[in-house]
Amino acid sequence: MTKNKFLTGAAMAGLLGICSLAPVHAQTPEPTAAPAAAGAIQTIPGMPPVINPNNIYSEARPDNIAPEVAKDPARIYVPNLRSNDVYVIDPATMSVVDRFPVGRSPQHVVPSWDLRTLWATNNAEGTTQGSLTPIDPRTGKPGPAVPVDDPYNMYFTPDGKSAIVVAEARKRLDFRDPHTMAMQGSVEAPECRGINHAAFSIDGRYAIFTCEFGGMVAKVDTVNHQILGYLKLSTGGMPQDILVAPNGRTFYVADMHADGVFILDGDTFKETGFIHTGVGTHGIYPSRDDTVMYVANRGSHKVHGPRHSKDGSVSVVDFATNRVIRTWPVPGGGSPDMGNVSADGKLLWLSGRFDDVVYAIDTATGSMKSIPVGAEPHGLTVWPQPGRYSVGHTGIMR
């Protein structure tokens, strides 16, 4: 275990002048949560109950697709960062069936909390012309873009009351109305350079965000909307994606420079271990049976390439033992990045970031198929997915 460099929220606020976020309707009191049954998780008001305290993903099993969601056609939505468009893949034919322009520099396609909108986050790198493009999952077609400053990524509070737009270049989290995207308020994260990915605790009371260019993570109070503190990772220095374990308290942080996954205790905010996976560790996704996580190793420590890296691979890590049980190299080299698992759990879909392809990976054998897409595909999403609600990113379902 490494030395904890956690600073309390009060101390950090005093040093950095961090402000809390005021509620949108201050005159309306928060509902009082019902008393928790013995062994139940006391969640934040408005958050759907935790059905299985040992597995926050229990309601995202293949047989739990909501009836309304089940009517949506099966599609893979691929945002292409440099060609400023979204490609749409039909998984039945493994072919591109549509493409449409969106805003500048689309980074991720994010399912909304209520599962009825897919949002392309166009952060217009280096400008103030960012936007969110809504996509109707029933028709697969985009609607008019909503101007939003620097939306690199987006999450939703587990109670569904706010979208959290991750304004990476601004070192800021913007809480917005989850439907209209009207601003509710902001939380500044001045020490978190490159703030980008997040995971929420089992009760929804806090989230941990990665700071890509600061070699650390930030803990955020989702109830009072303030920074609780920062934790410097012991080695590495380029944290990317983050995933919470089925227990809702253990957090896994992919680090592209450390070539592996740091393990954190979210409640105590301490680093407790490390799992070596592969070169350029980047994305993390749970299997549909919640027994393993798939870790995408991009094959390079560089932010912009190279193509066809011989070190590109996917590691399969067992949740119970925190050990790598399988490794799947990309045939001929590649750059697996972000994505998700199919509704039935049989295919892992990942963007090939620097190879302009999408990988469809058989989760039983590790065999891969590549589908050409636009220029620099990034955070693709798979739709539909099982679950009651989405906390964002490429579809982290509960």
Side-chain angles (χ1 to χ4, degrees):
M1 183 181 298
T2 63
K3 182 180 179 181
N4 182 26
K5 297 180 176 64
F6 171 61
L7 297 179
T8 65
M12 190 58 64
L15 288 171
L16 303 173
I18 298 171
C19 60
S20 297
L21 172 68
V24 180
H25 303 293
Q27 73 277 13
T28 304
E30 288 287 348
T32 302
I41 301 296
Q42 185 70 52
T43 62
I44 58 176
M47 176 180 164
V50 177
I51 304 301
N52 182 351
N54 297 313
N55 184 8
I56 62 172
Y57 303 118
S58 65
E59 305 311 293
R61 294 290 180 94
D63 59 353
N64 199 30
I65 295 182
E68 185 67 15
V69 174
K71 298 176 184 178
D72 298 338
R75 295 290 186 265
I76 315 300
Y77 294 90
V78 186
N80 299 293
L81 180 62
R82 288 190 293 107
S83 53
N84 301 320
D85 53 17
V86 169
Y87 274 48
V88 184
I89 295 172
D90 181 345
T93 62
M94 293 284 180
S95 62
V96 174
V97 294
D98 196 8
R99 58 181 292 189
F100 47 81
V102 290
R104 179 176 170 182
S105 308
Q107 301 281 0
H108 302 87
V109 174
V110 179
S112 63
W113 187 90
D114 64 5
L115 314 181
R116 300 318 307 141
T117 306
L118 308 176
W119 294 95
T121 64
N122 317 303
N123 76 327
E125 291 182 312
T127 78
T128 59
Q129 305 302 312
S131 65
L132 295 170
T133 300
I135 302 169
D136 183 344
R138 183 59 47 80
T139 64
K141 299 298 183 181
V146 180
V148 170
D149 186 29
D150 192 28
Y152 174 82
N153 207 345
M154 187 161 66
Y155 292 85
F156 295 88
T157 55
D159 58 10
K161 295 178 181 178
S162 299
I164 305 176
V165 170
V166 183
E168 180 186 47
R170 312 286 187 255
K171 305 177 188 176
R172 192 182 71 218
L173 302 174
D174 291 338
F175 286 70
R176 294 178 176 271
D177 182 281
H179 303 290
T180 67
M181 295 300 157
M183 183 73 86
Q184 296 174 342
S186 294
V187 173
E188 303 289 341
E191 297 300 304
C192 192
R193 294 188 300 114
I195 188 168
N196 52 33
H197 295 92
F200 294 84
S201 62
I202 191 170
D203 58 7
R205 296 186 184 278
Y206 67 83
I208 297 178
F209 283 79
T210 57
C211 310
E212 179 175 4
F213 305 116
M216 63 175 67
V217 294
K219 189 172 182 178
V220 178
D221 183 332
T222 57
V223 177
N224 300 301
H225 298 167
Q226 61 184 4
I227 296 289
L228 293 173
Y230 299 95
L231 175 66
K232 183 74 173 177
L233 299 174
S234 59
T235 58
M238 205 171 204
Q240 306 290 317
D241 203 3
I242 180 171
L243 179 74
V244 66
N247 66 21
R249 296 180 177 86
T250 302
F251 289 73
Y252 298 95
V253 180
D255 194 295
M256 201 165 79
H257 282 179
D259 297 338
V261 177
F262 289 98
I263 307 172
L264 309 180
D265 182 305
D267 290 352
T268 62
F269 205 36
K270 294 181 178 180
E271 182 182 320
T272 61
F274 179 79
I275 307 166
H276 177 77
T277 56
V279 176
T281 307
H282 200 80
I284 317 177
Y285 302 96
S287 62
R288 286 285 171 221
D289 63 5
D290 318 311
T291 60
V292 300
M293 58 181 173
Y294 304 111
V295 181
N297 306 303
R298 209 160 69 177
S300 172
H301 299 149
K302 297 181 179 180
V303 175
H304 300 293
R307 294 173 66 87
H308 310 306
S309 169
K310 63 180 179 59
D311 294 316
S313 69
V314 174
S315 299
V316 184
V317 178
D318 180 67
F319 276 126
T321 63
N322 286 332
R323 294 182 179 275
V324 176
I325 56 175
R326 288 183 292 277
T327 299
W328 300 324
V330 179
S335 49
D337 194 284
M338 294 287 176
N340 216 319
V341 182
S342 61
D344 61 11
K346 295 181 179 180
L347 289 176
L348 170 65
W349 292 86
L350 295 173
S351 59
R353 181 74 175 268
F354 304 118
D355 295 275
D356 300 340
V357 298
V358 163
Y359 307 115
I361 305 170
D362 187 310
T363 57
T365 66
S367 62
M368 303 184 191
K369 294 183 179 179
S370 294
I371 303 169
V373 290
E376 199 170 334
H378 193 191
L380 68 80
T381 199
V382 177
W383 201 255
Q385 291 189 46
R388 298 169 297 167
Y389 63 97
S390 162
V391 293
H393 189 36
T394 57
I396 303 301
M397 311 292 288
R398 293 189 180 184

